[in-house]
Amino acid sequence: MRQNQARRMALLDAAIDVLAREGARGLTFRAVDAQAGVPGGTTSNYFANRDDLLTQAGTRIYEHMQPDVATMAKSLEGPRDRERVTGLMHDLVERIGAYSVGYLALLELRLEATRRPALRAVLTEQVKANVDANVEYHLGTGLPGDATTVELLYLAMNWLIVERLTLPGVFTEARLRELVDGAVERIVPAG
């Protein structure tokens, strides 16, 4: 396998684009080569097989979705109350919405994981680690609520994001903001 990390990352990003646009069935080495604008056969030099490509694309999506240092620092500004959580949830919805290609590709990977045990294991580990990190961060920074609060927010925000990205006509942007506010109000304890 080739070791040029910059090329590998570019191929993974191209795979994410193909997944979001064509779905898992459309993800072929040729499609990734075409999306990345590289000579035919390049992707096969970097990934052992399609399962390897799918798995590494899933990992790459999570790398892109992680908030940057400035976002994390901003999340610690001000009081640790329900209003802060509401702001964080709005920021989350906007940040993920800005990387809609990655989120849509992740949805495709989740569906494909129902048919591929190895991919399911990798995604399960990544999602569980993500949820655990969110619980640890929430509790460690003194935000209101407990682990269940974070898990319920995770589930509510994920489905809200799915609606926003897949069927944007169901709710207006104003209504989505109201729904984020309402979810936090109902899930996160006051004071």
Side-chain angles (χ1 to χ4, degrees):
M1 290 292 112
R2 302 274 183 189
Q3 296 302 317
N4 180 332
Q5 280 304 105
R7 173 67 58 92
R8 179 181 297 278
M9 295 302 114
L11 291 170
L12 287 170
D13 290 340
I16 292 165
D17 289 340
V18 172
L19 272 169
R21 187 181 64 246
E22 305 293 332
R25 299 288 180 207
L27 184 68
T28 64
F29 284 173
R30 285 183 185 164
V32 174
D33 289 340
Q35 180 67 35
V38 296
T42 300
T43 301
S44 64
N45 290 327
Y46 284 83
F47 303 95
N49 52 46
R50 193 166 173 274
D51 284 341
D52 185 30
L53 179 60
L54 285 165
T55 301
Q56 289 191 43
T59 300
R60 180 73 171 155
I61 290 167
Y62 274 94
E63 289 171 5
H64 281 299
M65 286 189 183
Q66 292 303 311
D68 60 23
V69 174
T71 300
M72 293 303 291
K74 182 182 173 203
S75 74
L76 295 174
E77 294 173 359
R80 309 294 199 280
D81 56 12
R82 186 191 285 164
E83 187 176 329
R84 165 66 49 203
V85 176
T86 301
L88 292 172
M89 293 304 104
H90 283 293
D91 291 347
L92 171 72
V93 170
E94 289 305 313
R95 184 168 44 82
I96 299 301
Y99 186 52
S100 61
V101 166
Y103 197 85
L104 293 171
L106 183 58
L107 292 176
E108 289 289 340
L109 284 174
R110 284 173 173 252
L111 292 171
E112 190 66 15
T114 65
R115 297 175 286 278
R116 295 176 180 272
L119 180 59
R120 179 183 300 144
V122 168
L123 286 180
T124 298
E125 183 179 315
Q126 286 176 329
V127 170
K128 183 161 179 20
N130 185 46
V131 171
D132 290 347
N134 280 299
V135 168
E136 183 179 323
Y137 177 81
H138 191 95
L139 299 178
T141 58
L143 291 165
D146 57 13
T148 300
T149 302
V150 178
E151 292 162 349
L152 288 170
L153 286 171
Y154 166 83
L155 294 169
M157 293 305 113
N158 266 290
W159 201 257
L160 187 139
I161 291 166
V162 167
E163 287 299 320
R164 182 179 190 220
L165 297 180
T166 62
L167 301 172
V170 173
F171 300 108
T172 65
E173 284 297 314
R175 181 63 181 145
L176 286 171
R177 290 193 63 76
E178 290 170 356
L179 291 169
V180 170
D181 293 344
V184 173
E185 183 180 322
R186 286 163 178 79
I187 294 170
V188 178

